[in-house]
Amino acid sequence: GELPFRIARLWVRMIMWTCGVQVEAIGLENVDLALPQVYMSNHQSVFDIAAIIGTLPVAWRFVAKRELTWIPFFGWALVLGRQIIVDRKNRASSVKSLTRAAERVRAGANVIIFPEGSRSPDASLREFKSGGFHLALQAGVPIVPVAVSGSWRISPKRSLRIHSGRVLVRYGEPIET
């Protein structure tokens, strides 16, 4: 149901507030509350995830790399939350995971994917992997481009420091597949 997502949004908002991070969302009118969509976002920081969870008003599933499941608590939550886990080192397994994900999207699930595949070390946009595009095409749903800015200053890659600041999440107009 919707309850776990509401709890996640509340939890993330409390973390952001505690860290002194303000998040603003623009373009929420592009989020379809009734039909599933694939949300494709740039990836500057771990706070991108929090900013999207805190602002996206629909239930969602993340596409996450398998290595993240090894992180205590966080990884367990990925598995228990039925997120879409992809083994990037095994192409056949990755394709199978995204095919199952497309079935879930056709059944009504929204999916969030970071097509760069990993966080940017310097806030620049990296080359996109094709998996998210294949997912949206297989599912026959629109892609909503998401731009997160400012999160790189909050928590840069390879840093455990968290700085207060402002993050902007911009939801673009859906792109039909």
Side-chain angles (χ1 to χ4, degrees), residues 15 20 45 54-55 107 124 126-127 129 145 149 151 154-155 168 170 174:
I15 289 171
S45 163
T55 59
S124 64
R126 300 172 70 189
E127 185 176 324
K129 311 276 188 241
S149 57
S151 61
I154 305 296
S155 178
L168 175 64
R170 186 179 313 259

Side-chain angles (χ1 to χ4, degrees), residues 140-160:
V141 299
I143 295 169
V144 175
V146 180
V148 180
S149 57
S151 61
W152 185 75
R153 289 186 294 277
I154 305 296
S155 178
K157 190 172 184 174
R158 295 186 187 90
S159 173
L160 297 176

Side-chain angles (χ1 to χ4, degrees), residues 32-39 104-111 139-142:
D32 193 322
L33 301 177
L35 298 173
Q37 296 174 310
V38 173
Y39 296 87
R104 290 169 74 179
V105 172
R106 283 191 296 273
N110 292 287
V111 172
V141 299

Side-chain angles (χ1 to χ4, degrees), residues 77-94:
L78 286 174
V79 173
L80 291 173
R82 299 182 54 232
Q83 305 307 312
I84 300 156
I85 308 301
V86 175
D87 184 355
R88 297 187 310 179
K89 294 178 182 167
N90 182 333
R91 180 165 168 69
S93 173
S94 293

Side-chain angles (χ1 to χ4, degrees), residues 3-66:
L3 183 61
F5 301 100
R6 289 182 184 186
I7 292 169
R9 274 191 284 280
L10 176 63
W11 181 65
V12 161
R13 288 175 181 164
M14 289 188 324
I15 289 171
M16 299 285 231
W17 180 80
T18 302
C19 294
V21 177
Q22 298 171 335
V23 179
E24 179 185 357
I26 297 173
L28 287 171
E29 66 276 6
N30 295 316
V31 174
D32 193 322
L33 301 177
L35 298 173
Q37 296 174 310
V38 173
Y39 296 87
M40 296 181 79
S41 177
N42 63 316
H43 203 11
Q44 298 180 345
S45 163
V46 294
F47 269 83
D48 300 339
I49 297 166
I52 293 170
I53 289 173
T55 59
L56 191 59
V58 294
W60 39 261
R61 296 284 184 249
F62 276 104
V63 174
K65 61 185 177 183
R66 184 171 171 257

Side-chain angles (χ1 to χ4, degrees), residues 61-77:
R61 296 284 184 249
F62 276 104
V63 174
K65 61 185 177 183
R66 184 171 171 257
E67 295 84 357
L68 293 176
T69 64
W70 302 332
I71 300 171
F73 302 106
F74 179 76
W76 305 335

Side-chain angles (χ1 to χ4, degrees), residues 118-137:
S118 187
R119 289 173 287 155
S120 171
D122 59 4
S124 64
L125 194 61
R126 300 172 70 189
E127 185 176 324
F128 285 7
K129 311 276 188 241
S130 61
F133 299 101
H134 289 294
L135 169 62
L137 286 167

